[in-house]
Amino acid sequence: MSANPAAIDALPFAGPLAVRLCGVPLANPVIAAAGTCGYVDELGDAFDLRGIGAVTTKSITREVREGNAPWRMWGIPGGMLNAIGLANLGVDRFLAERLPKAGRIGCTLIGSIAGHSIEDYVGVARAFEREASLPIVELNVSCPNTADGLQFGEHPAALRELLRAVRPELATTKMLVKLSPNVGDIVAMAKAAVEGGADGLTLINTVAAMGIDVETRAPLLSRGTGGLSGPAVHAIAVRMVHQVYRGVARDANIPIVGLGGVSTWHDAAEFILAGATCVGIGTALFVDPRTPLAVVRGLEAWVRRQGAGSVTELVGGVRL
Ligand SMILES: Cc1cc2nc3c(=O)[nH]c(=O)nc-3n(C[C@H](O)[C@H](O)[C@H](O)COP(=O)(O)O)c2cc1C
């Protein structure tokens, strides 16, 4: 059941799919995922963005980043390999050139932050807090720390330290922490994120992976290894959302954004039953950028068939 069903009545959005994410009202739980839909309004070329709950920016870093050399995306059976390398125009240009469009997209914009040191994240968070007034930011912690080469998102102590430095910078902004699936104990990482001050958790980022061209004997991606996304990772992500919901999020009253391999309403409904309040869509946008609208329509019908007044009643509702 919803943690606070009465709060739904006060939402500015009507209907069974209206939700709150970290207290922020969204028209519905469907979110376009970081790095798969441009900076702000690009997905608006495919459909009216008022039809979804939120768009997440691609991850923004302190400096301009060109990213890795081609090939850095490659389609494989069941999904996609990528090693984009955080290509983006840097926080200053993002704020000056792209952010002004945020007010016109008709849904919530979630700002994604990445970096290679604590100072990087703090710098972008500070700039977002001062100049962007976004209701929510998401920390992409699947980035190696240049100081020790280890990923923030793969070590609980490093993650806690990072979040404790960033959290005070976000005085008026809710902080989602996006977890890496490339760990042995996802619940330990979620606990570290909550201890570090996360207001919500997004999971999962891509699964570490590799493909090889057997004729040239070269890796499919220029960097060698990369991240797998798409339908192949969905069941892994559902398992992780379920474990994190039961292991920490439910009792801490922390919302989860379930992400990984959603291409139909059915995939999204699985995430909700596993414990997700919202559902992200990434790789499926490359197949059909209107996927989110079909997911919204399917979820609405499913919520009604389940006899629920609100989708929030179904969060974590898997029958074990
Ligand atoms: C081409 C591509 C670029 C991505 N860029 C980012 C990024 O900038 N920041 C981030 O947090 N996640 C990034 N991701 C990860 C996605 O947001 C998502 O976590 C992952 O792909 C799993 O969801 P999906 O299977 O629906 O794509 C990227 C994924 C892809 C495929």
Side-chain angles (χ1 to χ4, degrees), residues 189-209:
M189 296 308 302
K191 282 185 178 155
V194 172
E195 285 161 12
D199 299 301
L201 301 169
T202 301
L203 54 152
I204 59 174
N205 213 316
T206 54
V207 177

Side-chain angles (χ1 to χ4, degrees), residues 32-37 56-60 72-73 80-88 112-114 138-142 178-179 202-207 227-234 237 259-263 271 280-286:
T36 62
C37 54
T56 313
T57 69
K58 70 163 64 191
S59 290
I60 305 297
R72 55 190 194 179
M73 288 169 73
M80 181 193 285
L81 295 171
N82 94 82
I84 301 290
L86 297 176
N88 79 101
S112 172
I113 301 177
E138 180 177 87
L139 266 59
N140 172 6
V141 295
S142 298
K178 183 169 181 179
L179 299 179
T202 301
L203 54 152
I204 59 174
N205 213 316
T206 54
V207 177
L228 177 63
S229 61
V233 308
H234 179 63
L259 170 62
V262 171
S263 44
F271 270 139
I281 302 180
T283 300
L285 301 176
F286 294 105

Side-chain angles (χ1 to χ4, degrees), residues 207-274:
V207 177
M210 182 179 188
I212 299 173
D213 180 327
V214 297
E215 298 299 339
T216 64
R217 292 157 55 173
L220 296 179
L221 299 175
S222 68
R223 194 171 152 272
T225 60
L228 177 63
S229 61
V233 308
H234 179 63
I236 299 171
V238 171
R239 186 263 296 173
M240 289 190 162
V241 167
H242 170 70
Q243 288 179 324
V244 166
Y245 180 73
R246 302 263 160 168
V248 52
R250 180 176 54 181
D251 292 343
N253 203 15
I254 294 278
I256 295 174
V257 178
L259 170 62
V262 171
S263 44
T264 67
W265 69 266
H266 183 276
D267 303 324
E270 277 187 284
F271 270 139
I272 290 163
L273 291 174

